[in-house]
């Protein structure tokens, strides 16, 4: 475990992921004709890749069932194009952050962006599809937009790394999703259902995980818990160049980001969608790295 990579993940996650729960973003998608959560989410997050098909989005996002991704993407691209959707996403994210945080201190925001960009400049692009898509976009001029873009990029880089690790370990998408529920201590089959997996698919996957020795009843086996933690630790390893590039200034960056991340989680934006993050941020706020 590299505590540095997890610390920066825990603090950038709420800032970057606020867009997925921001009413401002969803209102913008609705203006483009996208009804419901799916088309706006899948197409806006995937739009930095151009106009990807549903199967490409399924592959890039990793943990979703194609049964919900493919029709949502087809519907989304029948209503809008990548450029206006990327603008709607950006505008919604920035408006949401300003509502939650006000106008962050310009000196602190500028320093956070400087340090994050230093780390992101050292991040590997090969094999990191969504990260590379975001990197290809023009960098925002607005300070809040810059902060959000950096956190979104860091979040997606780790996500791309994570997919690389668990697919190498021959873990299936539904299995890693169920493992993450066990790891975060949330009710089994609840979060996974939001990823489009049916009860029958989840039950079959759980039986398969028991047969592999990863689960004992409805919980991790000791072997399964160690295996899941190894996946996370190997993900940490892939993110080490980012924190190494930030270097001795990492603590300064974490101190700048911590109150913003805590405010967002307290407001229920990221905390409501990512079980376990509220406690992670709480621990960091008490000084635990």
């Amino acid at each position: 475990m590299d505590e540095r990579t997890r610390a920066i993940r825990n603090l950038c996650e709420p800032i970057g992921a606020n867009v997925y729960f921001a009413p401002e973003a969803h209102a913008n998608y609705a203006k483009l004709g996208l009804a419901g959560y799916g088309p706006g989410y899948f197409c806006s997050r995937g739009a930095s890749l151009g106009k990807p098909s549903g199967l490409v989005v399924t592959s890039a996002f990793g943990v979703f069932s194609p049964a919900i991704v493919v029709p949502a993407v087809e519907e989304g691209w029948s209503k809008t194009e990548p450029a206006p959707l990327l603008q709607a996403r950006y505008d919604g994210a920035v408006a949401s952050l300003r509502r939650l945080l006000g106008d962050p201190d310009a000196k602190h925001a500028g320093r956070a962006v400087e340090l994050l960009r230093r780390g992101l400049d050292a991040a590997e692009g090969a094999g990191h599809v969504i990260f590379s898509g975001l990197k290809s976009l023009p960098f925002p001029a607005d300070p809040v937009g810059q902060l959000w873009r950096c956190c979104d990029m860091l979040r997606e880089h780790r996500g791309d790394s994570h997919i690389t690790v668990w697919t190498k370990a021959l873990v299936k998408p539904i299995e890693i999703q169920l493992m993450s529920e066990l790891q975060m201590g949330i009710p089994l089959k609840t979060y996974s259902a939001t990823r489009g997996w049916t009860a029958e698919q989840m039950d079959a996957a759980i039986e398969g995980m028991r047969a592999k020795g990863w689960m004992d009843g409805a919980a991790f086996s000791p072997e399964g818990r160690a295996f899941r933690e190894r996946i996370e630790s190997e993900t940490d390893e892939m993110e080490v160049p980012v924190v190494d590039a930030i270097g001795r200034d990492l603590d300064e960056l974490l101190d700048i980001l911590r109150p913003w991340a805590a405010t967002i989680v307290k407001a229920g934006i990221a905390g409501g969608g990512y079980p376990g993050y509220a406690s992670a941020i709480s621990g960091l706020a008490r000084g635990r790295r």
Side-chain angles (χ1 to χ4, degrees):
M1 172 179 173
D2 191 307
E3 293 184 352
R4 302 172 303 161
T5 69
R6 297 198 191 186
I8 197 170
R9 183 277 309 271
N10 287 349
L11 295 176
C12 285
E13 175 80 17
I15 298 169
N18 91 92
V19 67
Y20 301 123
F21 310 100
E24 295 91 341
H26 293 289
N28 288 347
Y29 304 154
K31 292 176 183 176
L32 296 174
L34 305 185
Y37 188 85
Y41 168 74
F42 290 117
C43 291
S44 67
R45 187 180 170 201
S48 67
L49 305 180
K51 200 172 182 179
S53 70
L55 288 179
V56 171
V57 171
T58 303
S59 174
F61 290 14
V63 297
F64 290 86
S65 167
I68 66 164
V69 180
V70 172
V73 169
E74 289 178 350
E75 179 182 346
W77 293 140
S78 74
K79 302 287 180 60
T80 190
E81 295 293 321
L85 192 50
L86 284 169
Q87 190 65 51
R89 182 176 192 261
Y90 172 82
D91 290 343
V94 172
S96 176
L97 285 177
R98 280 213 161 88
R99 171 172 52 82
L100 293 165
L101 304 177
D103 276 309
D105 177 80
K107 181 179 179 181
H108 285 158
R111 180 61 171 163
V113 169
E114 175 191 349
L115 296 177
L116 286 166
R117 293 192 78 177
R118 184 197 300 173
L120 291 167
D121 283 345
E124 179 58 63
H128 293 78
V129 177
I130 305 181
F131 166 77
S132 295
L134 293 173
K135 189 174 182 179
S136 73
L137 301 177
F139 196 68
D142 181 273
V144 175
Q146 292 178 349
L147 176 66
W148 173 70
R149 175 62 55 75
C150 286
C151 289
D152 193 26
M153 289 175 67
L154 188 138
R155 177 183 189 272
E156 295 291 14
H157 192 274
R158 186 180 178 100
D160 291 336
S161 293
H162 197 237
I163 293 172
T164 296
V165 172
W166 58 258
T167 54
K168 179 177 179 291
L170 301 182
V171 178
K172 299 175 182 177
I174 192 172
E175 292 173 336
I176 195 67
Q177 184 63 51
L178 290 163
M179 283 184 178
S180 293
E181 289 181 335
L182 295 173
Q183 186 186 44
M184 292 189 291
I186 61 178
L188 195 60
K189 300 191 291 185
T190 53
Y191 197 25
S192 298
T194 69
R195 273 44 194 153
W197 304 109
T198 67
E200 293 76 15
Q201 289 172 322
M202 290 187 284
D203 287 340
I206 289 169
E207 286 301 315
M209 292 165 71
R210 289 172 182 149
K212 295 174 183 177
W214 296 343
M215 289 183 64
D216 183 4
F220 268 132
S221 66
E223 295 80 8
R225 184 174 297 280
F227 179 55
R228 179 62 181 84
E229 183 53 40
R230 188 162 67 250
I231 289 172
E232 203 66 31
S233 293
E234 290 181 11
T235 304
D236 290 336
E237 291 174 8
M238 294 186 69
E239 299 306 291
V240 164
V242 174
V243 292
D244 278 353
I246 298 171
R248 66 181 63 186
D249 296 319
L250 180 64
D251 283 349
E252 178 189 358
L253 174 61
L254 299 179
D255 287 341
I256 294 172
L257 296 177
R258 188 174 293 111
W260 297 336
T263 296
I264 294 168
V265 170
K266 185 177 180 180
I269 302 297
Y274 288 83
Y277 272 86
S279 61
I281 297 299
S282 177
L284 287 164
R286 292 193 298 271
R288 189 172 71 238
R289 298 247 191 337

